[in-house]
Amino acid sequence: MRKLNFILTFVIAVGLLATSCSKKMEPLDSSLFTANPSPLELVGSKVPVTVNGRYPAKWFDKKAEVVVTPVLKYQGTETLGSPHSYQGEKVSGNAITIYQAEGGAFTVNSNFDYVPAMKKSELFLRFSVSRKGNHLIDFDVKVADGIVSTAALADAKTVTPALAPDAFQRIIKEAHDADIMFLIQRAELRSSELNSGDVKAWKELVQEVYNDDRKNLNVEVSAYASPDGGYSLNDKLAAQREKNTSNYLKKELKKSKVDTDVNAKYTAQDWEGFQKLVQASNLQDKELVLRVLSMYNDPARREREIKNISSVYSELAETILPRLRRSRLIANVEIIGKTDEELVAATNSSAINELSVEELLYAATLNGVSKEKVYSLVTQKYANDYRGWNNLGDVYFAKGDYSKASQAYAKASSISSRAAEPKMNQALLAMIDGDNAKAEQLLGSASGANTLNEALGVLYIKKGDYTKAVQAFGDTKSNNAALAQILSKNYNKAQQTLNGITAKDATTNYLSAIVAARTNNTSGVASSLKSAIDKGASKTEILNDLEFARFLSNPDVKNMLGL
């Protein structure tokens, strides 16, 4: 009986103690806590928050332990932040000690991974209280409302994927030449030279070019003398060689009915040609000769010093100097490519199969041409050219068919592992999939891609580095660029960017409404939101967006949203 009475007394005592403790450490008032920022704000892909609070004097039991966990509640679910532990002054442990008499301030930091459902949410601190290992009480205290999720508007889908460039030239310039050689100190044209295979082929080419409506022709004569024998002699010799060659060529052109001018010039001492031939030769002492050329600019001094190199001069006289006694016939040819109209017509007929890869790639950029058709043909006819695969991927990307785009970009990258464009475009797909680390790695290998800065700008927004995002976008006029400026709080610049967008969409107007909201322009909020709704913006999204919360009581905004 005594034993039973003792047990009952013990149970009652423990119960009273627990009840006493529970009452003592009752739920705290929300006025004790301040969240920063409030409301919360999305930064990159994270929602950081710092909550400063205080345990009141005499609230914290000397033997109690308290675990404080930030909790984000939204749409019937919740996400837990990082727990923080505290203990009373009579607890032996490693947690932060709070003294009962004076209480104590505390700071709780947390960083939530953002998901769109969190847009309409509430932040609580969850207190879990125990004493000597016995759980006493749990309670939640609300400390902040919702998340400003404007940064989530960054959209890699709207970045223009990088287009692999074509090398199409409307006018292609070519130069064709042939040499007429002369004997030492002579300027007479020799029949053996005039009837050489090179000269004959050159004249036939000139005739062919002149008769081709898509080619323009210009003819030159450049006559030379070798740099031995003195300047005065060589000047007269080179001039005579030029005159004889020009007269001969004019007669030949007239005979062939080729009506074109002959532009002629001569060089008295061809030191430049001499240096090139020596450099390319196998002369034993060619470095000595080249050193003389670099040391002396005076032609007479050069000639004298080179002749002093007796071991090499005789070889120069036999192998190098004779090749400098010449007249060069030069045919400058301009090949006129197809016009835009001709290319468009060709892509819409069987003539498409006759186009070169450069013509095809260029034609795909013209209005009235099916990009998918042309790029598909490029991948078939020029399967080892990465550009066709990359640009076909761009077509799929624009359609929103990211699976096919991914396959095309992968093929392009496998053909040319160093190509910048597929890397950049694969980075866009990685951002769309939420893999910003992969995107960053790919963009590091995409230097030179034509829309790289736009892709980098979006990546920096997603990383929360808004200053770098603004720098990357530069003067780009896009929704993403304006968003970066809004997040950097440069609202005037953001509105200028939005005004400069040619094809304004619902997001453009939505961002204008945010600029208006942040600059207290109520009429601007109403008019911009109306334009956004007219273009398909969701009224529900607007209602859940804390950017507009304080404007919902405005009559114009209320009527527009049907409130």
Side-chain angles (χ1 to χ4, degrees):
M1 188 66 178
R2 286 182 181 179
K3 185 175 182 181
L4 179 60
N5 289 337
F6 174 79
I7 292 173
L8 289 172
T9 302
F10 178 77
V11 170
I12 292 171
V14 169
L16 290 173
L17 179 61
T19 302
S20 173
C21 183
S22 168
K23 288 181 179 178
K24 185 177 183 181
M25 300 186 70
E26 62 188 9
L28 298 168
D29 190 87
S30 61
S31 62
L32 295 168
F33 308 99
T34 303
N36 184 30
S38 181
L40 280 63
E41 185 171 355
L42 174 64
V43 179
S45 59
K46 302 283 188 179
V47 181
V49 64
T50 299
V51 179
N52 293 307
R54 181 172 183 81
Y55 294 112
K58 299 182 180 180
W59 182 86
F60 211 107
D61 189 284
K62 294 180 180 181
K63 296 182 180 180
E65 295 174 88
V66 178
V67 177
V68 182
T69 305
V71 181
L72 202 59
K73 297 183 180 182
Y74 53 95
Q75 292 190 9
T77 188
E78 59 184 33
T79 297
L80 303 182
S82 304
H84 296 66
S85 297
Y86 304 89
Q87 63 188 31
E89 57 202 83
K90 290 188 177 182
V91 176
S92 297
N94 298 319
I96 297 172
T97 299
I98 303 295
Y99 291 90
Q100 186 183 68
E102 60 267 27
F106 66 92
T107 297
V108 173
N109 295 303
S110 200
N111 211 8
F112 296 94
D113 290 325
Y114 179 76
V115 295
M118 291 177 177
K119 189 171 185 178
K120 187 174 183 180
S121 57
E122 296 175 305
L123 178 67
F124 291 80
L125 289 185
R126 176 165 295 163
F127 291 80
S128 181
V129 183
S130 60
R131 188 174 188 276
K132 293 184 178 181
N134 297 311
H135 180 261
L136 300 180
I137 187 174
D138 287 335
F139 60 86
D140 292 351
V141 180
K142 182 179 174 179
V143 294
D145 272 311
I147 297 172
V148 176
S149 56
T150 302
L153 294 173
D155 191 359
K157 294 178 182 179
T158 63
V159 175
T160 303
L163 185 75
D166 64 82
F168 175 75
Q169 292 178 280
R170 186 79 64 197
I171 298 177
I172 300 173
K173 295 184 178 182
E174 297 178 347
H176 303 268
D177 58 57
D179 285 340
I180 297 175
M181 309 305 297
F182 295 90
L183 296 176
I184 186 171
Q185 297 185 4
R186 304 297 293 270
E188 295 87 358
L189 297 172
R190 294 175 291 162
S191 59
S192 60
E193 288 296 314
L194 301 180
N195 294 320
S196 70
D198 286 349
V199 172
K200 284 184 176 180
W202 186 87
K203 290 192 293 185
E204 289 173 359
L205 179 138
V206 168
Q207 182 76 60
E208 178 188 337
V209 169
Y210 183 76
N211 293 330
D212 192 329
D213 291 337
R214 284 195 175 273
K215 295 179 181 178
N216 295 329
L217 175 68
N218 172 270
V219 174
E220 297 178 35
V221 170
S222 291
Y224 304 87
S226 60
D228 58 323
Y231 182 85
S232 179
L233 172 64
N234 287 331
D235 186 64
K236 294 178 182 179
L237 189 60
Q240 190 61 49
R241 287 172 178 172
E242 178 265 302
K243 182 178 179 181
N244 292 347
T245 304
S246 295
N247 289 337
Y248 161 76
L249 186 56
K250 288 174 182 177
K251 291 178 182 178
E252 290 297 302
L253 293 174
K254 185 176 182 180
K255 188 189 303 182
S256 302
K257 297 181 180 180
V258 174
D259 184 14
T260 185
D261 293 332
V262 176
N263 301 308
K265 63 181 180 179
Y266 68 87
T267 302
Q269 292 184 311
D270 189 10
W271 285 110
E272 183 179 348
F274 177 80
Q275 184 173 4
K276 288 180 179 178
L277 290 175
V278 171
Q279 182 70 58
S281 73
N282 293 319
L283 290 172
Q284 183 176 354
D285 294 320
K286 75 176 184 180
E287 296 302 329
L288 289 175
V289 178
L290 294 172
R291 192 175 301 127
V292 168
L293 296 179
S294 65
M295 291 175 62
Y296 306 106
N297 292 322
D298 179 63
R301 181 68 183 273
R302 281 181 167 182
E303 184 179 355
R304 187 166 59 251
E305 293 294 334
I306 290 172
K307 286 183 176 179
N308 288 336
I309 310 173
S310 58
S311 61
V312 74
Y313 187 74
S314 59
E315 190 174 354
L316 287 172
E318 291 179 7
T319 62
I320 301 295
L321 296 177
R323 296 164 64 185
L324 300 173
R325 301 166 188 141
R326 71 205 190 282
S327 285
R328 173 157 289 176
L329 308 179
I330 304 169
N332 295 310
V333 180
E334 289 183 343
I335 303 172
I336 312 301
K338 295 179 179 65
T339 65
D340 287 359
E341 292 75 14
E342 288 173 326
L343 288 170
V344 171
T347 61
N348 292 309
S349 70
S350 59
I352 190 173
N353 295 302
E354 299 171 10
L355 298 180
S356 69
V357 63
E358 304 303 340
E359 289 174 325
L360 286 168
L361 291 172
Y362 174 73
T365 66
L366 302 175
N367 292 328
V369 175
S370 168
K371 297 180 186 297
E372 185 170 359
K373 174 185 175 182
V374 173
Y375 291 138
S376 295
L377 180 61
V378 173
T379 64
Q380 295 165 23
K381 289 187 65 178
Y382 307 97
N384 291 323
D385 191 324
Y386 85 92
R387 295 175 298 173
W389 293 101
N390 178 83
N391 295 357
L392 182 60
D394 289 357
V395 174
Y396 294 138
F397 187 99
K399 290 182 175 181
D401 192 340
Y402 303 120
S403 176
K404 283 188 177 180
S406 178
Q407 293 172 14
Y409 293 145
K411 179 66 175 179
S413 193
S414 70
I415 293 171
S416 178
S417 59
R418 295 185 178 182
E421 296 83 9
K423 292 286 193 299
M424 197 210 91
N425 297 333
Q426 287 174 313
L428 292 179
L429 294 178
M431 281 191 273
I432 290 171
D433 289 339
D435 193 342
N436 295 331
K438 181 180 179 181
E440 186 171 16
Q441 180 183 9
L442 287 164
L443 290 178
S445 303
S447 178
N450 47 33
T451 53
L452 176 61
N453 285 344
E454 290 185 56
L456 284 171
V458 173
L459 178 66
Y460 287 136
I461 292 176
K462 290 180 175 293
K463 291 179 65 178
D465 194 337
Y466 305 138
T467 300
K468 280 188 177 180
V470 169
Q471 292 172 351
F473 284 120
D475 293 328
T476 300
K477 305 299 182 186
S478 70
N479 291 334
N480 287 321
L483 174 62
Q485 291 155 353
I486 290 171
L487 296 172
S488 298
K489 298 179 170 51
N490 190 343
Y491 304 126
N492 287 335
K493 184 66 175 177
Q495 192 57 58
Q496 290 174 15
T497 298
L498 292 167
N499 292 340
I501 296 174
T502 303
K504 295 178 174 62
D505 58 14
T507 302
T508 311
N509 297 124
Y510 197 95
L511 290 170
S512 288
I514 290 175
V515 171
R518 292 194 178 194
T519 55
N520 296 314
N521 180 357
T522 303
S523 63
V525 171
S527 62
S528 294
L529 285 180
K530 182 179 185 308
S531 296
I533 291 170
D534 290 343
K535 293 175 182 176
S538 166
K539 291 183 179 181
T540 301
E541 287 297 311
I542 293 171
L543 285 169
N544 291 336
D545 195 333
L546 292 181
E547 293 276 13
F548 309 119
R550 60 195 177 92
F551 296 93
L552 297 181
S553 60
N554 177 268
D556 292 335
V557 176
K558 287 178 66 176
N559 291 336
M560 182 172 48
L561 297 176
L563 298 178

